[in-house]
Amino acid sequence: MGDAAGIGPEIIVKAYAQGLGAPAVVYGDAGTLRRAVALLGANLRVEEIAEPAQVAQFEPDFAASAAAVSAASQASPPPTPLAGSATGIIPVITCSPALPADLPAGQVSAAAGRAAYDYVCAAIDDAKAGRIRAIVTAPLNKESMNAGGADYPGHTEILAERSGTQDFAMMLANRELRVLLVTIHVALADVFAGITQEAELRAMRLAHHACRQMGIAHPRVAVAGLNPHAGENGKFGREDLDIITPAIAAARAEGIDASGPWPGDTIFMRARRGDFDIVVAQYHDQGLIPVKYLGVDEGVNVTVGLPFVRTSVDHGTAFDIAWRGIADHHSLITAFDVALAMTPQDTAAAPA
């Protein structure tokens, strides 16, 4: 559910009201979701369940809601998020102490931060056990989470640690770009220490794997240079020559169609026009600015390398507009659809 003081509850309710592509369960706080339903005037009912398998009892409600949305989608223009939806159910697994009804909206809260951490951990445990098909996360607030005693930079590190994953990466994707990062949540001053041949090769392997999961048979992996002009043959630093280039050669020796290092100021333009299937960027802002510049409405965050599929919205908790009923839910819908596309269609378990 993400941080209850942010827009997570609101966009979840809007997503259920619009209709999802498969049954799903929310790991979160039932009271908070009921307040979000009331805020939005949605024709939905929140039901607490004990385990993901119990979602099956609500499948008739899901089918009715999905059919209503499917019929409404034939109209032009498309309906508003809450229009045309049959009465539906939001199944919720409560996995943290209940949050207060007067939790301040749009403010840092240790209680909300700890609860958001608990929700993620419960979902991870069920995903590892095969009880759910995938995890789709709403945004959490790092300051709130840290105040609640969970000191992590973000979702990615929690997912990796709790699942016991050593080789992982963050990938951001939309309709025009896929970008995977070599270094993630580190200070810019510390990026250079993270640029090693091992890290580069690991990122290229994960990029290749992610594209294969998304249905690309022969992924073309482009690697961005670290320095201006990819180092200009050593003139602007030797990392591109001495570290990144040998790693690309090693990836190619493994059968990965990797190329580069390409100058960071043109590689994303080339990927956008179809020259590459995915870009390996060296640090957080190098990779995420181009993706988010194209718009966060359809952006999806994918954690690559986990033993299960995890996708997320491409935005934060938006405390400035939280609980005003105006948050856009389309990134959550897109993240849900990507999670379905990356998992076997005959899987019985529900996304979370």
Side-chain angles (χ1 to χ4, degrees), residues 156 168-172 179-181 184-185 284 288 301-303:
T156 304
F168 62 94
M170 176 191 292
M171 181 180 76
L172 271 288
V179 178
L180 185 138
L181 304 179
I184 307 177
H185 295 122
H284 188 279
L288 268 57
N301 183 336
V302 181
T303 305

Side-chain angles (χ1 to χ4, degrees), residues 84-151:
S85 297
T87 301
I89 305 295
I90 302 180
V92 181
I93 292 177
T94 301
C95 41
S96 189
L99 292 171
D102 60 351
L103 182 77
Q107 295 183 29
V108 171
S109 163
R114 182 69 202 192
Y117 172 75
D118 291 342
Y119 307 152
V120 175
C121 290
I124 292 169
D125 293 345
D126 278 349
K128 287 175 61 182
R131 289 188 284 267
I132 54 176
R133 178 172 171 177
I135 297 176
V136 182
T137 55
L140 51 74
N141 181 277
K142 298 174 182 63
E143 186 178 354
S144 295
M145 190 171 64
N146 292 345
D151 189 10

Side-chain angles (χ1 to χ4, degrees), residues 18 171-179 214 216 268 271-274 276-278 290-301 314 330-331 333-335 337-338:
Q18 177 174 311
M171 181 180 76
L172 271 288
N174 57 28
R175 292 180 184 272
E176 300 181 78
L177 283 176
R178 299 178 193 89
V179 178
M214 300 181 87
I216 301 171
F268 300 100
R272 191 181 180 195
R273 74 187 185 195
F276 313 117
D277 295 306
I278 190 168
V291 176
K292 294 193 176 186
Y293 178 77
L294 294 172
V296 298
D297 292 352
E298 295 183 348
V300 179
N301 183 336
D314 187 20
H330 288 96
S331 182
I333 291 284
T334 304
D337 291 343
V338 169

